[in-house]
Amino acid sequence: MPLKTALRYSIAPALLAVLLYLPTLKFGTIYDDGQLLPRITNMDVREAFTTDYWRNPATLWAALYYRPLALLAYWSIYQAFDMQVFGIDPVPFHVASVLLHAGATVVFLCLLAALGFEPGVCLAAAFLFAAHPLHVEAVAWISAMIEPLACVLTLLSLLCFVRRERTASLLLGGCAMLVKETALILPALVFMIAWRRERMDHAPRPARAAGIAALPYVPLVGAYLAARWFFLPAAPPDLAWFMFQNLPTTAPATLARYLQLIFFPWPMVMSYRLLGIAWQLAALVALAALITVALRAGEFGRDLLLAVAFMVLTIDRKSVV
């Protein structure tokens, strides 16, 4: 499907995305919003790149977040609407979140079209993307505006990769990583897309070719981690050890929560509790079955695995931890 045709197809899903979240324009601030918005009132560009996201003491968990472009996005809206004179107005931030979600819907459909999916599949997937409940907190909270922003940049990077515009793809991917850490899975997504393409073309060594295609994106991850290490204070030893010690239990629990939100997005409230051991085992079995299907079921399986990866990319982390 040509890009112009895909853009025409995307109008209806994008409008649905806007209509579903129009009520958020009347919302005020909640939870993390009250900490983030005062943070940007006395910030400059240099501080955005040299301090952590929340500007908390290094002993706190939040000091581990390096998101300079996310801070600049909020700061730009704050400056554009002259809020330093008239006071902070939540409406422009909510408008930006809704438009970013609609934009992500458009780019998602265009990416599927570029991957060769049928128009009906692209349209149905885009409607599901626009309306899936896992986006609620990401679009409705001001402090979660970085979720659709990172999603748009990552999907644009993938679209440029599929269209063989590699420089633009790398640039957009690097920007996405500086918005939120979720975008660090970009090399894996590129690998999956390239692997699917090589398999469809009956290439002799699809995994090797996909690895070569994804290799230029790995230094982006390294550059992000290096910048984070350089500008942010190191985690206290007791906190670092606590995180490492609990990784064997938190990793499968988080994975289970991700899968649960994709296929059964309930409850979508302030529920930060991870799933228990039974759900964790079920999630691991389901993931193993999904990968087995992807390896054995041909094009359908590869598309299914890719679809789940896309949905994981768009989950608001507030719903997970």
Side-chain angles (χ1 to χ4, degrees):
M1 186 193 306
L3 181 59
K4 289 185 178 180
T5 304
L7 288 172
R8 288 199 297 270
Y9 270 87
S10 68
I11 293 176
L15 287 176
L16 175 64
V18 172
L19 290 174
L20 285 174
Y21 289 99
L22 271 182
T24 65
L25 303 189
K26 298 182 293 184
F27 292 178
T29 59
I30 186 173
Y31 294 108
D32 293 341
D33 301 349
Q35 182 177 356
L36 176 66
L37 295 181
R39 157 92 165 98
I40 64 173
T41 58
N42 56 354
M43 188 195 76
D44 55 24
V45 175
R46 180 181 178 277
E47 185 179 345
F49 281 92
T50 57
T51 60
D52 76 280
Y53 187 61
W54 297 106
R55 198 165 56 188
N56 280 329
T59 54
L60 296 182
W61 171 278
L64 300 176
Y65 299 132
Y66 184 65
R67 302 168 179 173
L69 293 190
L71 287 173
L72 286 182
Y74 288 107
W75 182 78
S76 298
I77 295 174
Y78 176 80
Q79 295 291 329
F81 288 89
D82 209 16
M83 295 183 194
Q84 65 269 35
V85 175
F86 298 104
I88 293 179
D89 183 0
V91 174
F93 296 102
H94 285 304
V95 170
S97 293
V98 174
L99 293 180
L100 284 169
H101 179 51
T105 303
V106 171
V107 182
F108 180 61
L109 188 148
C110 291
L111 175 59
L112 294 180
L115 289 171
F117 289 96
E118 295 294 328
V121 173
C122 296
L123 193 61
F127 274 119
L128 176 61
F129 185 97
H132 199 290
L134 64 81
H135 296 296
V136 170
E137 288 182 3
V139 184
W141 288 27
I142 291 176
S143 57
M145 188 186 74
I146 60 174
E147 311 288 346
L149 176 57
C151 182
V152 167
L153 291 171
T154 305
L155 292 176
L156 280 173
S157 176
L158 294 173
L159 178 60
C160 289
F161 170 77
V162 174
R163 293 173 57 85
R164 304 186 186 280
E165 299 168 1
R166 301 302 167 82
T167 302
S169 177
L170 289 168
L171 179 62
L172 289 164
C175 290
M177 294 176 189
L178 292 174
V179 171
K180 198 184 177 191
E181 302 83 1
T182 312
L184 294 177
I185 69 170
L186 181 61
L189 292 175
V190 170
F191 176 86
M192 293 175 64
I193 289 175
W195 177 61
R196 174 184 180 274
R197 182 177 60 196
E198 296 296 326
R199 289 289 297 268
M200 292 181 66
D201 293 340
H202 304 288
R205 303 176 66 180
R208 181 177 182 273
I212 294 174
L215 190 60
Y217 296 83
V218 176
L220 294 178
V221 177
Y224 167 84
L225 294 176
R228 181 199 169 282
W229 174 84
F230 183 80
F231 289 115
L232 298 191
D238 56 341
L239 176 58
W241 172 247
F242 174 81
M243 294 171 61
F244 177 78
Q245 191 178 30
N246 287 275
L247 188 62
T249 56
T250 57
T254 303
L255 171 63
R257 181 73 165 130
Y258 267 69
L259 294 175
Q260 182 247 313
L261 287 174
I262 292 172
F263 297 105
F264 187 74
W266 187 266
M268 292 297 292
V269 295
M270 284 290 293
S271 175
Y272 290 92
R273 292 174 297 176
L274 295 175
L275 301 179
I277 186 64
W279 281 105
Q280 295 176 37
L281 292 175
L284 293 175
V285 171
L287 182 62
L290 184 64
I291 294 175
T292 302
V293 168
L295 295 175
R296 295 179 176 272
E299 183 179 350
F300 170 78
R302 294 190 291 273
D303 293 345
L304 179 61
L305 191 59
L306 190 62
V308 172
F310 283 149
M311 296 302 284
V312 168
L313 168 69
T314 62
I315 292 180
D316 174 17
R317 204 177 54 82
K318 287 181 174 60
S319 303
V320 182
V321 297

